Amino acid sequence: MTSDTPQRLTLTRPDDWHLHLRDGAALEAVVADSARQFARAIVMPNLKPPVTTTDAAVAYRDRILAALRQAGGDVTAFDPLMTLYLTDNMPADEIRRAKASGVVKAVKLYPAGATTNSDAGVTDLLGRCAPVLEALQREDMPLLVHGEVTDPSTDVFDREALFIDQVMIPLRRAFPALKVVFEHITTRDGAHYVRDAEGPVAATITPQHLLYNRNALFIGGVRPHWYCLPILKREVHREALVEVATSGNPRFFLGTDSAPHARGLKEHACGCAGCYTALHAMPLYAMAFEKAGRLEALDDFASRFGPEFYGLPRNTGTLVLERVPTVVPDELPFGATTIVPLAAGETLDWRVAAG
Ligand code: NCD
Ligand code: ZN
């Protein structure tokens, strides 16, 4: 450590532009972890059943705030930004209601069968969903995209790259003014597409895709807590993600994709996809940026570029990280069961300062 190694990092209070909070006891177990670090979060709608209407999103938001209050969190300091789950049957008028609600900020596209709870997802985007896409473009509301093709015969490591040609490019050609967020990009292909494309396109990047390549899934055996979708990729892809995330390009911003699943459903014959990172998201991102020698780029990635893309004000508060080696807990309470956070048992260089 040199004398100019910072011991404290004061950031503008960040936002999480991609978060799974679940519902019921699971929601109550996790929501305070996000609220401790983030002022706002884009909350994913893949509940069972999915959140497909503005009324359901408003009711879900109330449950989130009630759970945060129940968990002892500060409900005045956390603003859940809601999303609707796009289906083939969503009426275009729903977008007008969503906009008017003031709390629904985006619509999420899950290609049918792409990931956890995506059975109700879209089968015919440019056909049946065209009226909704037109309404989104008109209302200046972003479409958030899970960018993987779903053909089961396609290699799981190629699904994101193929999605660019098969869906992203035709979508953006048909709706050139539509704001699109390519969620949780995991490949050099995704990173370079977003960097170079014309028009209003951006991407979120998770901490695990900045810190790990696919070897992390298999160190000494199968490690289910490193399994998420889109799956970790080769090192060249991780390097490309670090490059764009730390480059100061406003198209790339923070979205943890923290996706809690009970321990028993991860450590299972057919384990669920999703890494739990809400607990320690900012220390994980700080480690990734510091490893790249770009700690100074973290503030814009975490706190500035997201609100700019969404057309929202920047937060005014701060979040302080301090350089205190901190062991990630082996597990955390999760309703009647437990959850294993990403990198459990490992030591992180940073922690969130109290207060
Ligand atoms: C997410 C989940 O569990 O809801 N899982 C994941 O691996 N990221 C779904 C998703 O965002 O794909
Ligand atoms: Zn997700």
Side-chain angles (χ1 to χ4, degrees), residues 19-23 25-34 36 224-227 256-267 272-280 327-345:
L19 176 64
H20 298 270
L21 284 175
R22 314 303 190 205
D23 214 342
L27 167 62
E28 211 174 289
V30 299
V31 62
D33 283 345
S34 291
R36 215 169 287 125
H225 300 292
W226 271 261
Y227 173 55
T256 62
D257 194 20
S258 178
H261 292 278
R263 178 171 201 151
L265 295 176
K266 295 281 297 172
E267 299 170 7
C272 293
C275 298
Y276 187 60
T277 54
L279 175 75
H280 45 347
V327 179
V328 180
D330 287 331
E331 59 180 0
L332 304 161
F334 190 61
T337 169
T338 63
I339 186 171
V340 178
L342 184 74

Side-chain angles (χ1 to χ4, degrees), residues 31-352:
V31 62
D33 283 345
S34 291
R36 215 169 287 125
Q37 294 162 82
F38 300 104
R40 295 170 290 198
I42 281 279
V43 180
M44 289 295 138
N46 62 331
L47 303 182
K48 270 185 192 165
V51 179
T52 56
T53 65
T54 303
D55 286 349
V58 169
Y60 182 30
R61 185 172 187 277
D62 290 344
R63 295 199 299 282
I64 293 167
L65 292 174
L68 181 57
R69 193 175 291 114
Q70 193 64 32
D74 180 358
V75 294
T76 64
F78 184 65
D79 184 9
L81 310 177
M82 308 311 292
T83 60
L84 299 185
Y85 186 114
L86 182 60
T87 69
D88 287 343
N89 302 318
M90 182 182 280
D93 206 38
E94 194 60 50
I95 303 308
R96 193 186 45 73
R97 281 191 286 277
K99 186 83 177 186
S101 75
V103 300
V104 175
K105 298 297 181 190
V107 168
K108 177 73 188 280
L109 163 64
Y110 289 99
T115 186
T116 310
N117 299 344
S118 64
D119 300 345
V122 167
T123 64
D124 182 14
L125 181 64
L126 291 184
R128 300 199 43 190
C129 297
V132 168
L133 298 174
E134 258 159 45
L136 285 170
Q137 184 170 256
R138 191 170 55 242
E139 299 284 358
D140 198 32
M141 184 177 278
L143 178 72
L144 315 182
V145 175
H146 182 111
E148 290 191 286
V149 297
T150 55
D151 172 1
S153 68
T154 304
D155 191 292
V156 69
F157 292 98
D158 296 338
R159 289 179 188 180
E160 181 173 297
L162 288 170
F163 185 89
I164 296 169
D165 289 332
Q166 291 181 18
V167 183
M168 203 61 135
I169 290 173
L171 165 68
R172 301 199 55 260
R173 192 176 294 135
F175 299 94
L178 175 65
K179 279 186 180 172
V180 175
V181 183
F182 200 155
E183 295 292 336
H184 45 48
I185 55 167
T186 63
T187 59
R188 182 174 53 186
D189 313 69
H192 290 181
Y193 170 73
V194 171
R195 185 192 64 190
D196 299 336
E198 282 178 28
V201 61
T204 53
I205 307 182
T206 78
Q208 65 267 26
H209 292 100
L210 293 174
L211 285 166
Y212 306 109
N213 64 38
R214 64 194 196 178
N215 284 350
L217 286 157
F218 307 111
I219 297 173
V222 176
R223 301 205 301 168
H225 300 292
W226 271 261
Y227 173 55
C228 66
L229 287 172
I231 197 163
L232 294 171
K233 303 296 193 302
R234 284 181 181 277
E235 178 65 5
V236 288
H237 297 293
R238 189 194 69 80
E239 287 168 357
L241 297 172
V242 169
E243 160 78 32
V244 294
T246 63
S247 68
N249 183 328
R251 289 185 170 189
F252 300 94
F253 47 82
L254 184 156
T256 62
D257 194 20
S258 178
H261 292 278
R263 178 171 201 151
L265 295 176
K266 295 281 297 172
E267 299 170 7
H268 190 274
C270 189
C272 293
C275 298
Y276 187 60
T277 54
L279 175 75
H280 45 347
M282 289 308 299
L284 290 169
Y285 280 112
M287 281 178 69
F289 275 64
E290 183 158 50
K291 209 168 131 209
R294 291 284 296 153
L295 210 41
E296 66 276 16
L298 182 58
D299 196 43
D300 284 348
F301 175 81
S303 316
R304 177 171 157 208
F305 298 149
E308 275 179 9
F309 188 82
Y310 276 80
L312 295 169
R314 258 183 112 174
N315 298 318
T316 50
T318 57
L319 180 78
V320 179
L321 302 183
E322 52 193 6
R323 189 185 299 279
V324 177
T326 303
V327 179
V328 180
D330 287 331
E331 59 180 0
L332 304 161
F334 190 61
T337 169
T338 63
I339 186 171
V340 178
L342 184 74
E346 295 187 10
T347 302
L348 306 185
D349 298 340
W350 295 90
R351 73 174 184 195
V352 176

